[in-house]
Every structure is written in C-alpha cells, then in structure tokens.
Amino acid sequence: MVTVQDIPFVQFLDRTGSPVGSLPSFAKDSRNLIPFYKAMVRTRVFDEKVVALQRTGRMGTYASSLGQEAVSIGIASAMAEEDVFLPSFREQGGQLWRGVSMVEILQFWGGDERGSDFKGPAKDFPVCIPVASQFPHAAGVGLAMRLRSEHRVAVVVGGDGSTSKGDFYEALNVSALWSLPVVFVVTNNQWAISVPRNEQTAADTLAHKAISAGMPGEQVDGNDVIAVHECVGRARKRALGGEGPTLIEAVTYRLSDHTTADDASRYREDTEVTENWKHEPNERLRTYLAATGVWTKEDEEQLLKDCRTAVDDAAQTYLALEPELPRAMFDYLFERRPAELDEQYTNIVSARSAEHA
Amino acid sequence: MPELTLVEAVRQALEYAMLEDDNVIVFGEDVGINGGVFRATDGLVQRFGSSRVRDTPLSETLIAGMAVGAAVEGMRPVAEIQFMGFLYPAIDQLVNHASRMRTRTRGRLTCPMVLRVPFGGGIHAPEHHSESAEAMLTHIPGLRVVIPSSPARAYGLLLAAIRSPDPVVFLEPKRLYRIEREPVDSGGEALPLDTAFRLNEGDHVSIISWGAMIHECSQAVSLLSEQGVSVDLIDLATLSPLDEETVLESVRKTGRCLIVHEAARTAGFGAEIAARVAEKELLSLLAPIRRVTGYDTVMPLPKLEHQFMPTTEKIVQAALESMEYA
C-alpha cells in the first residue's frame, strides 16, 4: 500500500473567529491585525467598484477576488519590499498591499498596458493570465537571487487549476532540486472556472503535489489571514536560510463568478455559495477584532467611508485618462525600433495626425 | 587566428560572453559535464563552475520560463533547447512572455535572454530531430530570430545576441556544425543583428537564403558562375527583424529573385520575402519570383531526408530558368 506523509493544516482563527490554540507572536496583540483587516476591506470595496464599472461598460473583463482577500493580504504582508511578487490574475489585494496603485490595476483591466508599469514595486511581475506559466518565472527569479547571494525571495501565486499543469510541476521540481528561494502559494478557491476541485485531481490535497518534487507542502486556512501570513512568513524564512522552497495550499472559496464574463449559476448551486458566505475571511477577522475590543462599529463605518472615497477617486482618475498614442505599440517592442518597422510606424502616426486634422 | 568549426565558434562566443559579463549564465539539458550533445558548451562547466553552467532537469517549458524569470531579474541567460523538435513546450513562454515583457510593462521590465536551438536536417538524426520551424518564430512580434551560416558569423552573431537587450532565439544549423573550418577572430567583436550579409556580389540573379542552405547556395554560385551567371547571394542571418532593404536593393539590381530554404514551402519565411519583393519591387522583376524549398510534407526520417531537402542542382536549375526570361 502506498502511504504519503500527512499534510499539516494551519489555522489560528476558526470559522467563527475564535482563536485556535496559541496565536503567533505578531498576532498576540490584535491591534497588529488592523492593517490586515483594513487592506482586506479595501480590496473588497475595490473589487465591488471594478465589477460595477464593468457592468456599466467602463471596464474590461475582471476577475474579482471576493472571498479570497485573506490569502492575498496574508501573502503580501509576509513579504519584504525587496522580494518579488509574481501574481496570477486574482491577486489584486496583494498587489495593492505592495504598492501597485488602484489606478494602475484599473488601467490594466480597462485595457491599457500602462497599468503594468508599476510606479511602486518596480521588480514585481505583472498579472499572469496564461495559467501556471508564472511558476517557471519564479524559479528564474529565484535563481538570479541565489547566484547573486541576495537576501530576497520570489513569491509566486497560482490557483487550484494551475496545479494541473506541467509548468507547475516543472518549476516545483527544479526549485526544490536547487533549493531556490521561492515560495509557491496555491490559492485553492475550489473552482477552475466551472470545474470543481474534486474533478481536477485525485490527489487528497493540492499540497500533496509538493511531495513528488521533494519539498514541504502544507495546507493553510485561506480565510484566516493570520494563518496565511504565518505560513508564508515561515516559508520565506526557510527560503532565505537556504532550505529551499515550500508549497502552501491556501484553502478558500471563490464567492464571485470566475470573471465578469462568467455566470457561475450555470454550474454551481446557490446553496454552496450561501454556505461559504458564512465563513468568509473579512467577517471572521472583524469578529475577532471586535471581540478583543480593538474594533468598533464607528471604526468600521469610518473604514468603509475611507475605502469608498479612495476607490471612487481612483475610478475618476482612471476614467479621465486619455488613451496612449498608438505609437506606443511600436515604442516598446524592442529596445530600439528596427528599420523594418519604420513604414508601419509612420503609417499609424500619420493616420493619427489625419484623424486630428 | 584560430580555425574553428561552427560549433567551436559557438563555444568560443559563450566563453567570451561569460568572461566579459558575470550575469551571463548557461543552462539546459546536458550542457554541463557532457558539454552539450553537440559539445557547444564543452568545458564551460569546468571553467565557470556549476553555478553558472547548469544541467537542468528534462523540462523545456521550465528552461524557457526560467530564462524569462532570470532575464527579467537582470541576468543574461543563454539557455539551450537540445533540438528544435523539443522547442514546442517552450513556445508558450516565447509567445506569451519573452516577446512581450517589454511591451506589456511599457519598458519597466525587459527580457534579455537567448534561447539556442540546433535545427535542420541532414545529419541522419532520429524522428523529431530535423525540422526547420523558423517561420513560426518569425511570426512572434518582439522576438529576434537569428541564424548563423558560418563559424565567423556564429561567433559574432551569438555575442550580439547575448549582449542584446531583447529576447533572441538563436537557431544553429546543425548540419554546418562541423562541415568546415574558417579563421575566426575570437576577440569579442560582435556582428550586427538586423543586417543581412552579401556573400557574393553579382548582377544576374539574387539568391536569398539562410542557415544550412547557404552551403548549397554557395556551391550553386560557383556552378552558375562557370555558366556565366553571376549571383548576388544574400544570407539573411537575422530573419526577424528583417533587413528588408538589402533584399530589395539586390532585387532592384538583378531583377531576378530566388529564395532558398530547407523548411516546407507553404507559409515558410520565403513566402514573406516573396510578398515583400512583390509589394515593393514588382516592377524591377524580369522573371517570376522562385522558391526552392523543402516539400509541404512531414519531414521524412533519414532514409528519405535528402529527397526532401533542396539540392545544389535544384538551385542551379531554378536560377537558370529565371535567366530564360529576358
């Protein structure tokens, strides 16, 4: 009989928001958790706004992170500024935490490449849409850090669906083999568009996939920001200590449709969604903060007000932006425009002038 | 000046680049102790150590994707895909990431990587080892596609590729790896990318080619010369971005355009050359544009591969037929 090692499941706040055992030191004073909570709420308010913009024709297709805020904030808050974040397409919470602006995120999803020219985290990768293709990049980033003996790590995120792809395994395999400073996080939101977790793999957990690569794998309650922060922080320390990568499966639930172009009612029961609303991450943390006396109704009202103002301001800025000149298509193709493209370039530049004549 | 084969020139260029820039790293399958299956990386691991010269696991998607990640983080990876037939798992990374990183981040991130890939037929290799799929790569905007056809050009173009701030696929015609030696100045001089090379100056017919077929084309130039036909032989060397002007200028002069490539004909890169000549120099033409290429068939196994590949005789014949037009 084949036996596999047990995969640990890490949780510090249970589904009702009550502590499970002893909290990690950073969480002992619950006031330290307020920035996490604020970021999670900001992410949710932001997602709501972007979906509303899409519904009114002012935004492209968008992947909301509703219900998964604790994963993204838990990851990003455990990273150092000099680390490199390689996100999938549903990690706007973490991107915001790391200093990507709301306007930039709106620009990208609104169809403007300038949204990936981050003014904040200059080394972070842009959103990765081809599923799992970001994992090999993380190995390459980790290799560069290792060769230069730097005290930094790469943190890469994919969804449950991404673990079915070969690139995922290839990146895990080499990262463990070479002890690269990489943290792999799988945001298991239970659905790869319409295909549920149990129809994606026969593996007991997605974290089990670490075993075949020879690295530690663990599950964390992805709706418990304390647990995600703690696990990613520990994995980061291992990576920095030369002990190699870790695979963390953050178990959460996608409360939204896959994207604004999707209708999840075609393939999943409302009762399942309703059930999962009962232990969504933001309320869980708010319950704990309130119970420990560091968060009031007034605090909550003020936070929502502040978030809405910030999000509305960002949306106004985004909506007022002029599109780039079409020459931008050529300006960044190579370091210098090859002579071969002069004619096409002139064509688009002169068409533009004619339009405005 | 040492006389080198093409594969030795590749090795010399890699060594020079690694000495000149600590950020240059080499990885791929069997590139370490084995020195590469063609010995293009022979001795590099002994010289530079196993940190900078790495045997990867057998995973082409990873090789290309890791090159993207390392290049974005400031390294100069020179990765090897062992044979072109095994390039396909890496195409996702070339199309979706390497070629567009600069564009999609508006210049914030760049991808100065080189992917070296031996390609082409004629060495009696097993199935999947002999194809020429360069046209597919030229259809990826933002990617440079470079193909040397002599030891000196392999040396100079590979150095240019490694120093280039843009991603480059460097296709090495493996039939030429050891076919000839020539003196190569291995003093670190790069040759220009985006520039075609005129290998023979002539007035009657332009032959446009690249890679291993330059060998047959050069033989055809001698045979045609004996018959009083002088050939302007152009080695494109960089297919993308293309040095279009050198091709057009040659055709303006000769009025006859013969394109030679080993790959299958339909949608081969010869079709692109033919289209540009037709668009821009139609009125200079004295004869129809001709293509001498592989057939539109699956590349056969070694027993039939020489039936597939264009021969010197076919090139001579096509040139003479062009000459029949006044």
Side-chain angles (χ1 to χ4, degrees):
Chain A
M1 181 182 155
V2 178
T3 54
V4 289
Q5 70 201 62
D6 286 337
I7 293 291
F9 180 84
V10 181
Q11 184 190 53
F12 292 105
L13 285 185
D14 72 12
R15 291 181 163 205
T16 67
S18 306
V20 181
S22 171
L23 295 182
S25 55
F26 74 88
K28 285 210 157 61
D29 181 345
S30 55
R31 281 173 300 191
N32 291 338
L33 302 173
I34 291 173
F36 298 178
Y37 180 67
K38 285 183 170 176
M40 288 160 65
V41 170
R42 178 172 68 154
T43 303
R44 185 166 296 183
V45 172
F46 179 72
D47 276 340
E48 276 169 17
K49 180 71 183 182
V50 189
V51 171
L53 287 169
Q54 193 279 335
R55 296 294 186 231
T56 50
R58 294 174 293 173
M59 174 53 59
T61 298
Y62 183 71
S64 167
S65 63
L66 182 64
Q68 305 176 200
E69 295 87 349
V71 181
S72 215
I73 300 303
I75 294 168
S77 61
M79 292 174 66
E81 189 181 336
E82 64 272 19
D83 293 343
V84 171
F85 188 43
L86 299 100
S88 69
F89 50 82
R90 209 189 296 279
E91 299 301 330
Q92 46 270 22
Q95 288 189 301
L96 290 169
W97 180 282
R98 288 187 52 77
V100 179
S101 73
M102 289 184 188
V103 175
E104 286 166 343
I105 296 173
L106 290 164
Q107 268 183 294
F108 174 72
W109 292 106
D112 183 337
E113 285 87 346
R114 289 175 296 184
S116 294
D117 181 10
F118 307 150
K119 300 298 178 284
K123 294 294 218 172
D124 279 9
F125 275 53
V127 157
C128 184
I129 290 178
V131 168
S133 61
Q134 69 272 34
F135 294 119
H137 301 166
V141 170
L143 176 61
M145 292 167 169
R146 164 60 44 81
L147 289 171
R148 294 188 301 233
S149 306
E150 293 170 343
H151 199 69
R152 304 159 68 204
V153 305
V155 180
V156 61
V157 188
D160 44 299
S162 73
T163 66
S164 296
K165 290 202 57 173
D167 353 19
F168 169 72
Y169 172 73
E170 290 186 26
L172 250 54
N173 186 53
V174 82
S175 299
L177 181 68
W178 293 350
S179 292
L180 298 178
V182 182
V183 178
F184 293 89
V185 183
V186 170
T187 303
N188 172 9
N189 69 14
Q190 312 301 333
W191 290 91
I193 304 189
S194 66
V195 178
R197 160 63 184 83
N198 63 4
E199 290 179 29
Q200 294 175 35
T201 173
D204 281 347
T205 75
L206 302 180
H208 272 94
K209 298 192 178 197
I211 297 168
S212 61
M215 72 164 82
E218 60 187 350
Q219 274 192 323
V220 58
D221 185 334
N223 287 4
D224 173 1
V225 71
I226 301 173
V228 177
H229 179 95
E230 173 69 7
C231 285
V232 174
R234 285 198 303 234
R236 184 176 180 275
K237 275 207 189 93
R238 289 190 67 242
L240 288 174
E243 294 170 72
T246 306
L247 174 63
I248 298 167
E249 175 191 358
V251 182
T252 180
Y253 189 82
R254 193 191 83 205
L255 291 170
S256 71
D257 295 332
H258 165 65
T259 65
T260 50
D262 177 46
D263 172 8
S265 71
R266 291 174 61 87
Y267 51 80
R268 69 179 182 188
E269 297 296 331
D270 282 351
T271 49
E272 180 187 306
V273 182
T274 313
E275 184 55 33
N276 277 283
W277 265 105
K278 291 180 190 161
H279 36 83
E280 59 91 359
N282 293 14
E283 189 181 340
R284 187 186 305 192
L285 182 56
R286 182 171 64 246
T287 303
Y288 178 68
L289 294 177
T292 52
V294 301
W295 195 252
T296 64
K297 212 171 173 183
E298 291 70 38
D299 291 331
E300 181 70 14
E301 280 164 12
Q302 186 62 45
L303 173 63
L304 283 173
K305 202 173 143 211
D306 292 348
C307 288
R308 286 186 184 127
T309 304
V311 166
D312 287 345
D313 287 352
Q316 288 310 316
T317 305
Y318 152 72
L319 290 169
L321 285 170
E322 288 289 325
E324 272 181 307
L325 293 174
R327 59 170 284 176
M329 286 188 270
F330 291 89
D331 287 345
Y332 306 96
L333 194 58
F334 296 104
E335 189 189 48
R336 271 179 313 179
R337 191 176 68 248
E340 167 186 43
L341 293 178
D342 284 352
E343 190 182 316
Q344 295 179 32
Y345 174 80
T346 308
N347 189 310
I348 203 163
V349 170
S350 56
R352 174 89 185 167
S353 323
E355 205 176 288
H356 288 259
Chain B
M1 228 185 282
E3 299 230 328
L4 301 179
T5 61
L6 195 151
V7 71
E8 287 166 352
V10 166
R11 191 208 160 280
Q12 291 283 86
L14 289 170
E15 180 170 326
Y16 192 95
M18 295 190 79
L19 281 170
E20 138 185 287
D21 183 352
D22 287 344
N23 288 319
V24 175
I25 53 173
V26 167
F27 55 79
E29 294 159 12
D30 307 297
V31 302
I33 187 72
N34 195 35
V37 293
F38 290 104
R39 309 292 175 258
T41 55
D42 196 24
L44 294 181
V45 72
Q46 288 84 352
R47 174 123 202 212
F48 298 101
S50 55
S51 281
R52 290 180 69 195
V53 181
R54 288 179 175 251
D55 279 325
T56 63
L58 214 164
S59 40
E60 286 83 8
T61 302
L62 171 85
I63 290 170
M66 192 161 62
V68 170
V72 167
E73 234 331 289
M75 304 305 288
R76 293 272 171 164
V78 186
E80 178 178 308
I81 298 289
Q82 207 160 66
F83 290 91
M84 193 169 215
F86 312 139
L87 174 66
Y88 304 107
I91 295 289
D92 180 23
Q93 289 292 338
L94 295 177
V95 174
N96 285 321
H97 296 295
S99 63
R100 55 194 294 154
M101 191 60 79
R102 181 189 292 275
T103 287
R104 67 192 296 255
T105 61
R106 289 302 187 244
R108 180 173 65 88
L109 302 177
T110 61
C111 196
M113 62 179 268
V114 178
L115 203 58
R116 292 180 40 248
V117 191
F119 85 120
I123 63 159
H124 312 290
E127 194 174 8
H128 307 293
H129 286 65
S130 299
E131 285 74 7
S132 299
E134 67 272 20
M136 189 178 66
L137 297 166
T138 64
H139 202 60
I140 304 173
L143 188 68
R144 293 182 180 274
V145 181
V146 179
I147 305 178
S149 65
S150 75
R153 284 189 291 282
Y155 181 83
L157 290 171
L158 182 53
L159 273 180
I162 296 169
R163 292 171 188 164
S164 168
D166 303 311
V168 180
V169 176
F170 194 80
L171 298 176
E172 298 169 4
K174 56 184 180 287
R175 187 158 59 91
L176 302 190
Y177 265 156
R178 295 183 169 83
I179 204 169
E180 59 167 0
R181 285 182 181 276
E182 70 174 359
V184 175
D185 176 359
S186 49
E189 268 309 297
L191 287 167
L193 299 179
D194 318 345
T195 303
F197 296 87
R198 177 173 278 105
L199 303 184
N200 194 69
E201 185 96 38
D203 298 320
H204 296 141
V205 57
S206 300
I207 297 184
I208 316 296
S209 191
W210 54 89
M213 275 298 134
I214 291 294
H215 185 67
E216 279 70 24
C217 290
S218 299
Q219 291 175 339
V221 167
S222 303
L223 293 172
L224 286 162
S225 163
E226 289 165 14
Q227 302 190 45
V229 176
S230 81
V231 174
D232 216 36
L233 176 60
I234 308 292
D235 172 10
L236 291 182
T238 299
L239 270 61
S240 185
L242 178 67
D243 177 6
E244 179 182 285
E245 191 42 43
T246 297
V247 174
L248 298 178
E249 182 203 321
S250 175
V251 174
R252 260 198 303 277
K253 177 175 69 173
T254 63
R256 295 179 181 84
C257 179
L258 173 59
I259 303 152
V260 181
H261 62 66
E262 193 176 304
R265 172 168 307 193
T266 298
F269 197 66
E272 180 61 31
I273 301 293
R276 295 205 197 190
V277 171
E279 281 172 346
K280 295 184 175 166
E281 287 300 336
L282 186 67
L283 300 181
S284 303
L285 289 174
L286 302 169
I289 300 167
R290 289 288 303 264
R291 285 181 286 168
V292 177
T293 69
Y295 296 108
D296 285 333
T297 64
V298 173
M299 178 82 194
L301 300 190
K303 293 285 188 199
L304 291 180
E305 72 177 329
H306 287 286
Q307 298 291 326
F308 176 91
M309 298 186 6
T311 59
T312 305
E313 292 68 34
K314 283 184 185 169
I315 298 167
V316 169
Q317 183 64 28
L320 291 175
E321 284 168 17
S322 285
M323 291 306 295
E324 286 171 15
Y325 292 82

